[in-house]
Amino acid sequence: ADSPLARLTALLLGLERRPDRRQRCEEMLAKEVPWLKSEFFRATDGKADTIPDTEVSKTWNTKHNSFYGAYEDVMDKDGKVLHTAAEFADPGVDYEFSPGERGCAHSHYRMWQRAAEADRPTLILEDDVQFVFERTKGGMSGGATFTARLELGMQEAKKRGMDVLYLGWSGHRDGNYKHHKPARGRKNKFVRKAEYVWTTVAYVIWPEGAKKLLAAARPMNQPVDNFMAWEAREGRLDAYVLLDEGDDDDTWSGGIVTQLDFTGDSDIKKSDGGDQGHDPTEFLADKASAKQEIDTSGLASAGA
């Protein structure tokens, strides 16, 4: 029988202004997975391209993500509390997307459009994906491990009719649920149902899954990993994570890929600070609107 990988093709997402990242990734793919056909997919540049508000909104609210992400009091530079930890959960705090986040969200939206039209699953890779890394169980991962585990995952996908299979992930899934009830019986050694996982560095998406995400994204009102995670959490997206050998119920971040230099060389600022520790006040939406009010009231009095 044909390998489930035989017809799999990849879209490699990257910014045109970062040929260094594209080159590193293309060289890695050629060396580690020569069987994989990939095509460079030009990312939407949040700093330069126009992004329709009907596809990605300009602001997002932390309420959904606060069920899973740990928020703390946010203070201004004088130590005054702008938002308490409790506010992030209810009513939620509004953030403007950072330009990088908004560009990333729109890039995935456009790749879903491509995936929705395909007659087979599409592998989506961001250009900071890393196939060579130290595995949870020890030893190094590489192309051979990636290929063998992905083949097992794709066989499971066929049995289950998946929408999305995350190849790299962190967060909550069967074995470490927060909201969902675990399935009874023995746990699968290769895939687990996702509840709420972050990172979109590498995932397989089926046409049906892409159509579901596009239908929900009117507009996309969260950073893309939060958006996909919430659709899965609410049962609207049938998403799974792929386990590497050694990943178990205590594994927080797992899978068959990792991210290269996650905290160092990123073009995407996390508007709410995130695990990268970016400034959680820079993109606060009410700060931006307060500044706008001052600007416009200044204009009004100047014109009076």
Side-chain angles (χ1 to χ4, degrees):
D2 260 7
S3 158
L5 306 183
R7 295 171 70 231
L8 190 65
T9 55
L11 296 177
L12 170 60
L13 177 68
L15 287 164
E16 269 176 343
R17 60 182 159 86
R18 293 302 305 267
D20 53 322
R21 291 171 67 135
R22 176 181 176 177
Q23 186 183 349
R24 179 208 69 89
C25 202
E26 286 179 342
E27 286 172 0
M28 176 190 71
L29 294 177
K31 183 179 173 206
E32 300 296 331
V33 284
W35 57 267
L36 180 65
K37 291 185 204 61
S38 69
E39 170 196 333
F40 181 72
F41 191 92
R42 179 195 169 280
T44 303
D45 190 336
K47 289 181 176 158
D49 295 328
T50 304
I51 299 169
D53 295 354
T54 51
E55 294 175 0
V56 183
S57 62
K58 288 201 166 100
T59 62
W60 67 281
N61 183 283
T62 60
K63 184 172 186 170
H64 292 165
N65 198 49
S66 74
F67 285 103
Y68 298 95
Y71 287 101
E72 297 168 353
D73 291 357
V74 169
M75 300 176 203
D76 66 12
K77 57 184 187 307
D78 303 321
K80 179 173 159 274
V81 174
L82 298 171
H83 292 288
T84 64
E87 281 176 74
F88 282 93
D90 192 16
V93 172
D94 286 333
Y95 272 104
E96 293 189 335
F97 280 82
S98 74
E101 270 176 338
R102 198 155 181 256
C104 179
H106 192 244
S107 302
H108 283 269
Y109 183 96
R110 289 168 43 233
M111 289 191 290
W112 299 340
Q113 288 176 317
R114 276 282 298 274
E117 287 167 12
D119 61 352
R120 63 189 80 174
T122 302
L123 171 57
I124 288 179
L125 300 172
E126 294 178 344
D127 65 5
D128 58 347
V129 67
Q130 176 62 294
F131 283 33
V132 182
F133 63 96
E134 198 166 324
R135 301 171 77 182
T136 311
K137 75 178 190 79
M140 293 302 284
S141 193
T145 309
F146 175 90
T147 304
R149 297 298 290 188
L150 180 57
E151 185 148 15
L152 291 164
M154 295 297 279
Q155 285 166 356
E156 295 294 329
K158 205 171 171 186
K159 293 177 202 167
R160 288 171 165 72
M162 292 181 188
D163 289 330
V164 167
L165 178 62
Y166 290 95
L167 309 189
W169 46 271
S170 63
H172 294 276
R173 77 290 162 205
D174 194 1
N176 180 16
Y177 274 156
K178 191 167 179 176
H179 168 76
H180 290 170
K181 297 280 177 280
R184 289 167 183 262
R186 281 176 57 199
K187 302 270 181 234
N188 191 285
K189 289 196 306 222
F190 309 119
V191 297
R192 295 286 176 84
K193 184 95 165 142
E195 178 180 325
Y196 195 97
V197 297
W198 291 277
T199 77
T200 50
V201 69
Y203 60 94
V204 179
I205 186 163
W206 279 262
E208 205 48 46
K211 287 172 189 164
K212 287 178 185 178
L213 287 168
L214 289 167
R218 291 183 179 170
M220 197 187 313
N221 58 359
Q222 298 275 312
V224 62
D225 52 350
N226 299 4
F227 179 80
M228 291 174 69
W230 189 255
E231 290 304 298
R233 191 252 197 198
E234 292 296 281
R236 294 187 288 262
L237 185 73
D238 205 13
Y240 286 77
V241 300
L242 182 57
L243 304 180
D244 188 18
E245 200 181 335
D247 289 346
D248 60 24
D249 290 354
D250 297 325
T251 307
W252 179 253
S253 293
I256 59 169
V257 301
T258 186
Q259 267 176 294
L260 185 75
D261 196 13
F262 178 59
T263 50
D265 181 29
S266 173
D267 291 297
I268 300 175
K269 275 192 176 176
K270 291 286 185 193
S271 49
D272 62 353
D275 284 347
Q276 291 90 325
H278 296 148
D279 176 4
T281 66
E282 188 181 347
F283 294 100
L284 281 169
D286 54 4
K287 202 173 95 170
S289 59
K291 181 177 172 295
Q292 229 170 2
E293 275 167 33
I294 292 162
D295 291 350
T296 51
S297 62
L299 282 174
S301 56

